[in-house]
Amino acid sequence: MSNLPGEFESLLTECGADLVSFADLSGLVPSVRSGLPRAVSMAVALDPGVVGKITEGPTLEYMEEYKAVNELLGELSRKAAEYLTANGFKALPYAATDEGVDSRTHSTELPHKTVATLAGLGWIGKCALLVTERYGSAVRIGKVLTDATLPVAKPVVESRCEDCTVCVDACPGGAANGRNWEAGLERNRFFDAHACRRAARAKAKERIGILYAICGMCIAACPWTRRYIDEAGRSS
Ligand code: B12
């Protein structure tokens, strides 16, 4: 049992996870976490070459990357849940997107980002994305709820965006009002998800001729993402 966290983390990174960490969910109401006290939070980084080309809007390459990473996250969640169950614990895997979404409010009961900040993976930027130190916001994330005794990380409770407004200025929908996030600040106080979705649909139609809310301009603009792209370019 004592070997579980290390072995488990290695399994997930070998299967393609770029960041893995564990969160204490006990501060959240039991109904949103299916009564389970902890979670595994995972992130898969987007291809820096693909993200570097979406500064003006989405591309077909980005759409393909988006789908592939969603599939990988689904697979990682299933593998994580299988492993935990085989070790005698409860485990509840989630899909990367579109699961349990209330289409009127564009929200889920327990967003992946909540679990990610509780797992210490990063903070929430001004465009409501999880920003990680290593990959900026160029990550997609997933979660598995569990009762396994995993070593939980220290939650991130405040933003490191300071006075940067690059993503705010880049958003074609004007969705963000520039306010910095801190744990407990509701999305609607600083980010208009309806404006984001409308603009993303319009961009996707204009650039790649599809009816889907995919944009990513805030991801590509973020200086933390730019640093990831630049570093990847230098080492290739
Ligand atoms: C509905 C949804 C949308 C909606 C609404 C977006 C939104 N920000 O809520 C629309 C259609 C607009 C959308 C658009 C996009 N989406 Co989307 N979407 C989702 C989905 C399915 C649910 C999000 C949700 O529940 N929102 C409700 C609000 C309240 O929560 P939230 O904004 O997600 O996060 C808040 C809480 O986590 C809270 N919080 C954070 N820490 C803590 C800690 C505590 C203790 C508490 C109480 C709260 C708290 O602060 C956050 C900010 O307000 C998630 C997948 C998932 N199941 O989580 C993907 C997800 C958020 N989307 C994602 C992405 C990438 C996008 C797009 C870039 C798509 C694209 N490729 O073009 C755009 C732009 C998004 C943007 N700038 O926010 C990624 C984000 C990855 C990242 N780095 O953050 C996710 C996580 C999918 C994934 N598997 O990776 N999306």
Side-chain angles (χ1 to χ4, degrees), residues 135-214:
Y135 305 107
S137 52
V139 288
R140 292 188 68 77
I141 49 183
K143 66 173 184 280
V144 177
L145 307 188
T146 185
D147 61 355
T149 42
L150 297 163
V152 297
K154 189 169 175 261
V156 173
V157 294
E158 58 184 32
S159 168
R160 288 173 62 187
C161 295
E162 299 180 354
D163 56 2
C164 176
T165 59
V166 174
C167 69
V168 177
D169 302 336
C171 174
N177 65 16
R179 184 165 173 188
N180 261 325
W181 170 85
E182 63 195 0
L185 182 68
E186 284 174 25
R187 176 193 65 191
N188 300 348
R189 305 282 299 276
F190 67 100
F191 187 78
D192 180 345
H194 296 276
C196 166
R197 185 167 178 276
R198 271 195 306 273
R201 281 175 70 91
K203 272 282 163 202
K205 190 165 175 230
E206 170 201 320
R207 310 281 300 189
I208 49 178
I210 57 160
L211 288 175
Y212 193 72
I214 184 163

Side-chain angles (χ1 to χ4, degrees), residues 28 62 66 70 73 95-99 101 106-115 117-118 124 127-131 136-143 156 181 183-188 190-191 193-194 196-197 200 213-216 218-219:
L28 304 175
Y62 174 54
Y66 172 101
N70 278 351
L73 279 164
T97 193
D98 290 346
E99 189 175 22
V101 181
H106 299 309
S107 59
T108 53
E109 275 198 323
L110 178 58
H112 295 342
K113 282 182 263 178
T114 300
V115 174
T117 67
L118 286 172
I124 304 298
C127 279
L129 290 171
L130 179 82
V131 184
S137 52
V139 288
R140 292 188 68 77
I141 49 183
K143 66 173 184 280
V156 173
W181 170 85
L185 182 68
E186 284 174 25
R187 176 193 65 191
N188 300 348
F190 67 100
F191 187 78
H194 296 276
C196 166
R197 185 167 178 276
I214 184 163
C215 170
C218 52
I219 300 177

Side-chain angles (χ1 to χ4, degrees), residues 209-232:
I210 57 160
L211 288 175
Y212 193 72
I214 184 163
C215 170
M217 290 171 73
C218 52
I219 300 177
C222 173
W224 295 85
T225 305
R226 302 299 323 168
R227 196 175 68 176
Y228 160 53
I229 295 172
D230 293 347
E231 277 173 9

Side-chain angles (χ1 to χ4, degrees), residues 35-164:
L36 295 166
R38 282 170 289 278
V40 183
S41 180
M42 295 166 286
V44 173
L46 297 170
D47 181 328
V50 173
V51 177
K53 294 192 195 116
I54 58 169
T55 45
E56 303 299 320
T59 59
L60 285 172
E61 245 186 322
Y62 174 54
M63 181 82 203
E64 291 308 315
E65 174 74 355
Y66 172 101
K67 285 196 223 154
V69 173
N70 278 351
E71 267 175 42
L72 175 56
L73 279 164
E75 212 176 291
L76 284 165
S77 298
R78 277 191 300 278
K79 283 204 169 116
E82 267 168 33
Y83 180 93
L84 292 168
T85 312
N87 278 277
F89 300 107
K90 289 184 186 157
L92 193 55
Y94 283 79
T97 193
D98 290 346
E99 189 175 22
V101 181
D102 179 332
S103 57
R104 286 167 306 120
T105 58
H106 299 309
S107 59
T108 53
E109 275 198 323
L110 178 58
H112 295 342
K113 282 182 263 178
T114 300
V115 174
T117 67
L118 286 172
L121 289 189
W123 64 95
I124 304 298
K126 287 179 181 153
C127 279
L129 290 171
L130 179 82
V131 184
T132 65
E133 190 167 319
R134 184 147 173 209
Y135 305 107
S137 52
V139 288
R140 292 188 68 77
I141 49 183
K143 66 173 184 280
V144 177
L145 307 188
T146 185
D147 61 355
T149 42
L150 297 163
V152 297
K154 189 169 175 261
V156 173
V157 294
E158 58 184 32
S159 168
R160 288 173 62 187
C161 295
E162 299 180 354
D163 56 2
C164 176

Side-chain angles (χ1 to χ4, degrees), residues 12-28:
L12 297 176
T13 47
E14 276 158 26
C15 293
D18 292 298
L19 301 172
V20 177
S21 191
F22 310 120
D24 175 7
L25 305 184
S26 60
L28 304 175

